[in-house]
Amino acid sequence: MESDKNNGMSRTAPMLEAVNLTKRYDDGVLALDDLNLSVFPGRAYAMLGANGAGKTTTINLFLNFIDPTEGEARVAGVASHRDPLLIREKVSYVSENVMLYMNFSAVQNLDFFARLSGRSKGFRRDECRDVLRRVGLEDDCHDRKLKTFSKGMRQKCGIAIAVIKGAPAILLDEPTSGLDPKAAFEFMNLLDSLRAEGRAILMSTHDIFRAREIADDIGIVKEGRLVMQRSREELEGEDLEKIYLDYMSGLS
Amino acid sequence: MFGTLVRKELKNIIAGPKFAATFLACSVLILLGVCVGIVDFKADMKQYETAVQLEQEQLQEQHSWSYLATRVFRKPDPMQIFVGGVSRDIGRFSVLEESEAIRLTGSAYSNDTVFAVFRFIDLHFIFMVVMSLFAILFTYDSINGERESGTLKLVFTNPVKRFSYILAKFAGSWLGLAIPLVIPVLTGLLLVLLFRVPLTADHWGRLLLFLLVSFLYCTFFLAFGLMVSAMTRRSSVSFLVLLVSWVAMILIVPKAAVMAAGKLAPVPSVAQIESRIDRFSSSEWEKYIKGMEETSIRREREMSGMTEEERKAQREINEWNWLEESEKARKAVETEIWNNSKRMYEELGNLRGRQERLAFVLSRVSPASAYKLASMNLAGTDTGLKERCEGQMARYHDSLYEFATKMEKESPGGNPGIMVTIDSEKGLTTSAPRDTKTIDTSGMPRFAEGYPSMSQVIRNALTDAVLLVIYVALALLGAVAAFSAYDLR
Amino acid sequence: MIGIVVKKELFETVGSKKFHISFAVCSVLILLAFYAGIRNHQNNVERYEASKADNLRKLEGLKEWHEVENYRIFLPPRPLESLVGGVSNDIGRTIVIQRGNELEAEGSRFGDDPVFAVFGFLDLEFIFQIVLTLFAILFAYDSVNGEKERGTLRLTFSNPIPKSSYILGKWTGSFVAVCLPLMIPLLTGCLMPPVLGVGLSGGEWLRLGLVILSGLLLFGAFLAMSIMVSVFTKRSSSSFLVLLVIWIFVILIIPRTAVVLAARAVETPSVDELAAKKSSFARQLMMEDREKVDGYRGSGGSDMEAMMREFQEFMNGIQEERRKKTDEYNARLNEERRNKQIVQEKTAFGLARISPSATFTLAAASLARTSLDQKERFLGEAGRYQETYGRFMLDKTGIASGLRVIRISDGDREEGEAKASIDPGEIPVFDFHEVSTAECVKGSIPDMGLLLIFNLAFFALAYFRFLRYDVR
């Protein structure tokens, strides 16, 4: 299996690709400096880094919430700022705190976002329930208002929205922060199954342990620059936490 | 401890955008309100003075005291700058005629209807509507907002008494609101001085009381906001609740109360009263004319045996007496009609008073209408103004006509009528007396409007002021009670 | 795509607690306004009929037509004016008709009953203007920045949705979400008049419908404004504060201040000045006429009736001439004042119209016929009636103006002659012709158009700002 994917990686084009990606904000802050990374279908990429290192900026650039100063954030080969609507069909997004419409039930939220993603034709409501079940939300909470949900349940809802959209790429912004270990574990399993379906996953995280567990590639971002990038194989037997802390304190 | 809490509250408020917005809005509005009030008062005063002078000039052109008709005007009170009340709704003048009841007509709104479309803006209005809203804005999230942001828990990890905490909240927000209020109010008073608005010491006293009541009113909304905030978990909920209560208290309850009172205690319309008076007066006049006819027939009969010469002599002898007699009868009728209409209006006044009292009692459920009633009473622009004014005018009416009767006896003026005589010999002849001497109005009593006295004003406003105090106390108590049981999580 | 946003907006609004509370409040108030308005109208009709009947009754038993005095005409109450008060409570509703006298409307409801003036009436106009606008703000103050704060905006725009469709959907959705439910109490309210026994004519239904339409336009304007402010500000708490301040100014301050200041800037002669001028002119003429009468010498003869007739004709001639002169003079003065007033009104209202709420008031008042024009209309109609009345009285009495004649005759002639009473029913009926519905509607079109422009302008600002909105 693993080798299959690695082979595939060399054959297919990257789904998410940052090319010399640079972002300088209006106030002069250099948030991202010449970042290059690629995520291939069926692989997960974890960005590690301190708060304010530029992880969220990268995700914003892929979603074209902001325009890059230089370089491109490509989704399926298309620069995101060239055709934002097209690339938004191809990516799903899960934020750190999944915030949905609190007065809607899980099904209503899912329904709305599914339709918003362009799936209004041939879409059935039952599909929502299937997806909710798949992400681990039992039937009894499908019709409960979201304001009664715990944080873990909300994150599951968020991933359900990403699932139902069926986009080939998924962007996750610190999805497991604030989750209890069991919820985080389930969440990671879910991601794993999505990767197995062949989706490209780019996530930013602080959680070195989880990153190591799930990611095929790991990059460390510091002050807007990618200071380290290694594949799972390259990290085999190394202490990732130590590497991370070394980079952070500037030893490496 | 208390001081620390108050200082923190005050600092927190002053640093926030609410404070800046309130300060700005208050300054603009209060100054605008005072300016508009002054401009308007000056215009009213000018109109009043012109009108009085013109009326005086017209009086001096009259020829006889016996058909004296004039108009008497209500003097604008400078307090209307601050509390307009009903001053523009009730009439500005009344026609004075010997047998006519006093009735204020020609209200500012009916004459210059353009102002009636959006009504006026005065200091009282700004306090009642705008400041109360700002007061709510100051405290709607003072408890539950701190809970939401998590600071409440943190505060109570320290040895702080709940009681002193909520009182400090109250004191701090009160000071925070007082600053943006006091500064523009003082500036406004300076404007009043600058524009030389004729305020007496009494006026200043009443103005001060009005401002006190206004502060009390704002205090109520602060305390009320605090109470609701301590009763709810989320600030969005408390704001919604407060906004709905605000709309109800300020806009709905008073109107609904008046409408309910109109339904519960109906009052005949002025038109109905007028027509009753008219009916009475025409029947009286009919009686009078019949009486006159009978008298003349009786006289003819008395003279039936006489020769033409004797008749003529008799007439000449009695002419003056007869005239006086008929004049007396006429006066009697006029007095009777006058008394009747006075009675009718008194009755109407009583009915109205009943309705009004009911309306006000019902409306006092809302502190806003208690405030409105208190401030109108303090300013003397309450609904009693019409009655007071009409009463004063009625007294003036009496003294004027007493004087006129006296003057008439002393110096009967010219007769404006035309005498038409049909004589079988000379045919029809007319004579209009050439006596065009005008009356001397120098000694005539002048209408001097008395403002209600300070003690009177205070007595009138006391109920509502006390009621406001009670409302404030209740809201504060409610806040303290709710907070002492507040779930700090 | 817009449809999805509209639908979501609809469900989100209708499902919120905010909506439940405000819907309940609005429904109660709207129904109350309709009920109170109709009851008020019925009351007014009762009083109107009573006054009218009394007016005729007091003429009963009179023997001579020249004894008729203080004949009054009344402005009939109309159902719509109880729903949209306008100035209907401020203008005088009674006019005393005498031949040749200066007409003056007196007896305004607020003047007669100041207790009502203290708090005003609760009418439909008030509900639209104060309550609904407040709710519009409440519903839309956080429509954009609130979603950003909650994080849903990010999630939404991670989907392929154009910003233009989103903002358009937002506006449509929130408008429909509040307006549709509001139609329930409004339509129920509209059912009330026929149920409570007040029939509305077709024209009145149309005008009521248009009043409601302009109310909804006002609501839309505030909704668009709220969305606009919510696009322009970062935080929902600050957008609410800004909107509340704007609301206070637009609803309460601008109209009042604009009118007071603009109207004071245009000087109009006061009514007292006019009255004084008129009466001194009349007196002057009277004195001149006295001279003429004094110089009257009849052609003599012995026929009393003929002499009387001759004299009366002479008097009629003089009076007719005097009436013409005073009429002309008064008309000129009135017109001068009226012209200045028109300038005053134009200035004042023109300035006030920068506030959508003032525009709504003017549109609604003109639709309900409770605008300033109603006063002029009443006076105009009364003037026309006065002519009819004058001709009728001249016909009946032969005297051109209301002289009170006390005849002192030799007595032995008239005795025992039982004269028949006059029939007050013969007096021509005052029929108040109102402005036609078409004209009413035409008069309100500019204001309704302006409301529409407010809607579009606020929305356009929101729209273009949102296209460059930072959705992060």
Side-chain angles (χ1 to χ4, degrees), chain B residues 10 24-25 63 76-77 120 132 201-202 209 260 296 366 369 423 458 474:
Chain B
L10 199 55
L24 198 73
H63 297 281
D77 185 335
F120 263 89
S132 56
D202 242 26
L209 286 176
S296 70
S366 146
S369 54
D423 202 298
I458 292 176
L474 281 180

Side-chain angles (χ1 to χ4, degrees), chain A residues 156-211:
Chain A
K156 282 176 183 171
C157 257
I159 197 86
I161 285 169
V163 170
I164 204 162
K165 187 170 181 177
I170 303 178
L171 300 168
L172 300 108
D173 200 355
E174 295 174 25
T176 53
S177 80
L179 290 188
D180 63 63
K182 180 171 173 284
F185 174 74
E186 285 171 3
F187 193 84
M188 282 304 159
N189 276 346
L190 212 60
L191 274 189
D192 208 28
S193 72
L194 287 172
R195 179 178 54 181
E197 283 174 7
R199 305 192 204 215
I201 295 170
L202 173 66
M203 63 187 284
S204 78
T205 185
H206 297 299
D207 190 341
I208 296 167
F209 174 66
R210 304 263 173 230

Side-chain angles (χ1 to χ4, degrees), chain A residues 89-100:
Chain A
E89 278 177 29
K90 294 192 162 50
V91 291
S92 293
Y93 166 69
V94 181
S95 64
E96 175 181 2
N97 282 303
V98 172
M99 296 307 279
L100 300 170

Side-chain angles (χ1 to χ4, degrees), chain B residues 40 58 61 89 92 110 113 119-120 239-240 255 259 267 275 278 352 372 386 416 430 432-434, chain C residues 36 47 54 58 72 90 111-113 118-119 130 138 240 256 264 272 276 279 283 290 293-294 375:
Chain B
D40 194 62
Q58 287 203 15
E61 286 175 25
D89 293 292
R92 288 179 306 109
S110 72
T113 324
R119 324 300 287 184
F120 263 89
F239 192 77
L240 195 62
K255 285 169 194 274
M259 275 155 48
V267 168
S275 76
D278 276 348
R352 273 218 187 113
K372 181 155 201 168
K386 188 178 178 189
T430 59
R434 295 190 173 268
Chain C
R47 285 178 177 213
D54 256 7
K58 74 182 181 211
R72 293 188 170 86
D90 296 291
D112 288 344
D113 277 324
V118 175
F119 299 119
I130 309 262
L138 211 56
F240 193 78
R256 292 159 196 257
R264 286 292 176 220
D272 311 312
S279 82
R283 203 168 33 243
R290 276 163 61 86
V293 175
D294 201 23
K375 184 179 161 192

Side-chain angles (χ1 to χ4, degrees), chain B residues 17-18 21 25 28-29 32 36 39-40 43-44 46-47 50-51 54 58 61 63 71 73 86 89-90 92-93 103 107 109-121 125 129-130 133-134 137 237 239-240 243-244 246-247 251-252 254-255 258-259 262-263 267-272 274-276 278-279 282 285-286 297 300-301 352 355-356 359-360 363 369 372-373 376 383 386 415-418 420 422-423 427-428 430-434 436, chain C residues 17-18 21 25 29 32 36 39 43 47 50-51 54 57-58 61-62 70 72 74 87 90-92 106-108 110-122 126 130-131 134-135 138 240-241 244-245 247-249 252-253 255-257 259-261 263-264 267-268 270-273 275-277 279-280 283 287 290-291 293-298 301 304 307-308 311 315 337 341 344-345 348-349 352 358 361-362 372 375 404 410-411 415:
Chain B
K18 266 191 284 199
V28 171
L29 288 177
L32 193 74
V36 168
V39 166
D40 194 62
D44 276 3
K46 204 175 121 209
Q47 188 185 16
T50 331
L54 285 172
Q58 287 203 15
E61 286 175 25
H63 297 281
R71 294 193 299 174
F73 289 84
V86 298
D89 293 292
I90 63 176
R92 288 179 306 109
F93 66 86
R103 217 188 119 202
S107 70
Y109 278 151
S110 72
N111 283 337
D112 292 303
T113 324
V114 61
F115 296 111
V117 177
F118 300 114
R119 324 300 287 184
F120 263 89
I121 173 168
F125 172 82
V129 178
V130 185
L133 203 55
F134 281 122
L137 273 182
V237 173
F239 192 77
L240 195 62
L243 206 61
V244 170
W246 179 83
V247 169
L251 305 166
I252 312 293
K255 285 169 194 274
V258 172
M259 275 155 48
K263 201 95 201 99
V267 168
S269 70
V270 173
Q272 281 163 317
E274 283 279 290
S275 76
R276 266 181 235 168
D278 276 348
R279 236 177 314 160
S282 56
W285 281 118
E286 206 175 309
I297 291 166
E300 288 300 322
R301 286 229 184 88
R352 273 218 187 113
Q355 186 190 50
E356 203 179 283
F360 288 165
S363 73
S369 54
K372 181 155 201 168
L373 295 174
M376 286 199 311
T383 47
K386 188 178 178 189
N415 187 347
I418 297 166
V420 182
I422 306 180
D423 202 298
L428 192 145
T430 59
S431 68
R434 295 190 173 268
T436 50
Chain C
K17 199 183 275 169
K18 199 157 69 175
I21 295 180
V25 171
L29 287 180
L32 192 68
R39 284 294 178 221
N43 235 339
R47 285 178 177 213
S51 322
D54 256 7
R57 206 179 307 129
K58 74 182 181 211
L62 291 185
N70 281 350
R72 293 188 170 86
F74 306 93
V87 295
D90 296 291
I91 58 176
E106 51 181 39
S108 69
F110 278 161
D112 288 344
D113 277 324
V115 60
F116 290 109
V118 175
F119 299 119
F121 284 107
L122 181 73
F126 169 83
I130 309 262
V131 184
L134 208 54
F135 283 131
L138 211 56
F240 193 78
L241 199 62
L244 215 55
V245 172
W247 183 82
I248 289 171
F249 273 88
L252 303 169
I253 309 297
R256 292 159 196 257
T257 317
V259 168
V260 174
L261 294 183
R264 286 292 176 220
E267 288 255 347
T268 57
S270 77
V271 274
D272 311 312
E273 258 170 80
K277 271 191 197 162
S279 82
S280 95
R283 203 168 33 243
M287 292 310 285
R290 276 163 61 86
E291 304 285 314
V293 175
D294 201 23
Y296 173 80
R297 290 290 168 268
M304 290 275 271
M307 280 195 294
M308 268 310 273
F311 176 63
M315 287 298 279
R337 177 169 148 85
Q341 269 185 328
Q344 187 185 40
E345 280 161 21
F349 291 155
T361 304
L362 295 172
L372 296 185
K375 184 179 161 192
R404 180 188 282 178
D410 285 351
E415 199 186 354

